[in-house]
């Protein structure tokens, strides 16, 4: 088949093109072998190679180890190892294909030995960790473990440790704002997690977000892809990773007294439930849905549907009470969620209450 640019694209044409390229490469190497040390551009020109063919052949011969840069005479092994030695611009020495092959095999053998040595070291470290330092059953995800930490540096190290092993999700909330945190360290952590597909969420207090220096941190985190929300108040500092680890204050009323590192989903899920409540009652950062918008623009039917939604009624019961179809209820609730800027029906009910739409 001939394409619009006139080139041949069928299998036979590609085969002929590949064969011609191989023939050029072989002919060029043979001529270089015959001469020993020669000026590569001159030989390529004598064989009628164009600029593109010249570059392709030179790159391929070097990658295969069939030519090496040299001087007007053969470079010795000592020359090649000498950091001060410089080859001529265009002079190359040809290499016997068998020698080139053996060199590649030796190089790959050395690389394999390095990989095997690294694997042996890693396996030895794993054996030591599993056999010496880990308690029986310590890798069981259902186990509960609690560690009280009072040293600030140890708390920071524990935070780094659990962040490093994050696989799916990271949640945090900060009643004191980002004042005590180093911004660049926060951003570096965010990038590292987001690049690995981790969902990152953070909640801050509204009065902290209003401060210029804090707003700059929140803006940057949101730009990186962190889901940031603002709440009127927060109960405690909290960091949760993968339903497996949680760091909370030792004394919520005195955050500086230390922290608890909790491990195991049976315990961490309790903290996560508290976090989800705070998350759903908070507003997305930068969302300007304000109370003054109110619910005055809602119809009586929408107001009633919102009341029943907030009360936890199912769509079927809402439809029966309103005397409309299930499809109408679904459409109505979707419109209300959009109006409230909510991502779920539960969140829509919570935000409607908070904004005074149901008063």
């Amino acid at each position: 088949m001939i394409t619009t640019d006139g080139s041949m694209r069928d299998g036979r044409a590609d085969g002929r093109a590949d064969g011609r390229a191989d023939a050029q490469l072989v002919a060029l190497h043979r001529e270089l072998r015959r001469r020993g040390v020669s000026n590569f551009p001159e030989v390529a020109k004598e064989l009628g190679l164009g600029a593109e063919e010249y570059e392709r052949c030179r790159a391929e011969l070097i990658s295969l180890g069939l030519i090496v840069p040299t001087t007007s005479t053969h470079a010795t092994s000592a020359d090649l190892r000498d950091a001060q030695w410089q080859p001529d611009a265009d002079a190359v020495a040809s290499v016997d294909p068998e020698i080139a092959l053996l060199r590649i095999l030796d190089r790959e053998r050395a690389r394999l030995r390095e990989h095997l040595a690294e694997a042996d070291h890693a396996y030895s470290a794993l054996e030591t960790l599993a056999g010496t330092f880990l308690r029986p059953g310590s890798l069981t995800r259902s186990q509960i473990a609690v560690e009280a930490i009072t040293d600030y540096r140890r708390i920071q190290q524990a935070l780094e440790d659990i962040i490093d092993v994050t696989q799916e999700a990271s949640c945090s909330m900060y009643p004191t704002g980002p004042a005590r945190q180093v911004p660049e360290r926060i951003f570096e952590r965010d990038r590292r997690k987001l690049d690995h597909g981790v969902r990152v969420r953070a909640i801050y207090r509204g009065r902290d977000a209003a401060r210029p220096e804090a707003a700059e941190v929140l803006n940057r985190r949101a730009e990186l892809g962190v889901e940031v929300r603002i709440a009127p108040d927060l109960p405690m500092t909290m960091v949760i990773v993968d339903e497996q680890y949680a760091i909370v204050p030792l004394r919520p009323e005195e955050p500086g007294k230390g922290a608890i590192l909790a491990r195991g989903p049976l315990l961490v899920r309790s903290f996560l439930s508290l976090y989800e409540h705070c998350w759903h009652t908070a507003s997305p950062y930068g969302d300007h849905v304000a109370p003054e918008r109110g619910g005055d623009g809602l119809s009586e039917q929408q107001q009633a549907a919102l009341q029943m939604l907030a009360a936890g009624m199912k769509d079927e019961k809402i439809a029966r009470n309103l005397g409309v179809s299930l499809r109408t209820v679904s459409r109505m609730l979707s419109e209300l969620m959009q109006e409230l800027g909510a991502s779920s029906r539960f969140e829509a009910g919570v935000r409607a209450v908070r904004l005074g739409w149901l008063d």
Side-chain angles (χ1 to χ4, degrees):
M1 180 181 72
I2 301 178
T3 62
T4 54
D5 61 0
S7 59
M8 301 288 289
R9 295 301 301 274
D10 65 14
R12 291 176 297 171
D14 288 344
R16 286 197 295 272
D18 291 343
R20 181 171 176 272
D22 290 342
Q24 285 178 332
L25 199 64
V26 170
L28 179 57
H29 183 256
R30 283 177 179 171
E31 182 60 23
L32 293 170
R33 286 289 296 151
R34 188 182 68 80
R35 300 189 186 196
V37 174
S38 53
N39 183 289
F40 189 88
E42 289 181 0
V43 176
K45 185 176 181 181
E46 290 176 12
L47 293 178
L49 299 185
E52 186 177 338
E53 294 168 328
Y54 167 88
E55 293 296 340
R56 178 185 59 79
C57 289
R58 189 175 190 280
E60 190 161 354
L61 289 173
I62 289 176
S63 69
L64 292 172
L66 292 171
I67 60 172
V68 293
T70 186
T71 61
S72 56
T73 57
H74 282 288
T76 65
S77 297
D79 290 332
L80 296 174
R81 290 194 298 269
D82 186 356
Q84 303 300 319
W85 178 82
Q86 294 292 330
D88 291 342
D90 298 318
V92 297
S94 63
V95 178
D96 183 273
E98 185 176 350
I99 298 298
L101 176 62
L102 291 174
R103 283 177 176 169
I104 291 176
L105 288 174
D106 284 342
R107 185 169 66 245
E108 291 305 311
R109 190 179 295 115
R111 287 174 59 185
L112 284 172
R113 281 197 294 266
E114 289 179 6
H115 289 319
L116 286 172
E118 291 174 0
D120 285 342
H121 177 74
Y123 186 77
S124 177
L126 288 171
E127 280 189 320
T128 302
L129 281 170
T132 306
F133 290 96
L134 295 180
R135 303 184 305 276
S138 62
L139 293 180
T140 303
R141 293 182 62 85
S142 61
Q143 182 180 358
I144 292 175
V146 176
E147 178 184 357
I149 311 171
T150 56
D151 184 88
Y152 179 75
R153 292 166 300 178
R154 173 71 184 94
I155 294 172
Q156 292 303 307
Q157 185 58 54
L159 184 61
E160 290 286 346
D161 290 345
I162 66 173
I163 286 174
D164 280 342
V165 298
T166 308
Q167 299 293 319
E168 297 176 0
S170 169
C171 310
S172 58
M173 60 182 177
Y174 304 99
T176 57
R180 296 186 61 189
Q181 300 172 302
V182 180
E184 289 306 320
R185 185 174 295 174
I186 298 174
F187 305 147
E188 192 277 330
R189 287 172 180 167
D190 289 341
R191 278 190 290 266
R192 193 165 70 229
K193 289 182 287 187
L194 293 166
D195 287 346
H196 287 83
V198 174
R199 183 189 183 192
V200 184
R201 294 187 288 169
I203 314 175
Y204 294 92
R205 288 188 307 184
R207 59 179 175 271
D208 295 313
R211 292 184 288 107
E213 65 275 15
E216 185 177 348
V217 173
L218 270 58
N219 285 334
R220 182 76 178 277
R221 297 196 74 186
E223 288 170 0
L224 288 171
V226 176
E227 299 175 45
V228 180
R229 291 199 173 190
I230 305 300
D233 203 5
L234 293 171
M236 69 177 79
T237 299
M238 183 182 297
V239 177
I240 302 174
V241 167
D242 289 343
E243 298 187 10
Q244 183 67 15
Y245 302 97
I247 293 182
V248 295
L250 192 61
R251 297 180 183 176
E253 69 280 5
E254 297 181 89
K257 293 296 184 180
I260 292 174
L261 172 59
R263 182 179 182 278
L266 292 180
L267 177 57
V268 173
R269 282 175 189 152
S270 298
F271 292 117
L272 186 59
S273 295
L274 173 59
Y275 185 88
E276 292 295 350
H277 172 76
C278 295
W279 178 260
H280 287 297
T281 56
S283 303
Y285 181 62
D287 188 352
H288 301 293
V289 176
E292 53 267 23
R293 287 175 57 183
D296 297 341
L298 299 181
S299 67
E300 290 185 8
Q301 192 178 59
Q302 287 176 318
Q303 188 84 15
L306 197 53
Q307 290 277 3
M308 288 183 275
L309 176 67
M313 286 189 186
K314 301 290 187 182
D315 289 9
E316 293 82 359
K317 189 171 182 179
I318 295 175
R320 285 198 301 271
N321 289 348
L322 293 177
V324 297
S325 68
L326 191 59
R327 179 178 298 179
T328 299
V329 169
S330 179
R331 175 181 53 76
M332 189 185 310
L333 294 180
S334 296
E335 291 172 353
L336 288 169
M337 285 171 57
Q338 185 175 0
E339 181 72 14
L340 285 159
S343 58
S344 69
R345 295 185 177 187
F346 173 78
E347 184 183 359
V350 170
R351 296 198 67 185
V353 171
R354 183 171 57 81
L355 294 172
W357 285 27
L358 300 180
D359 294 345

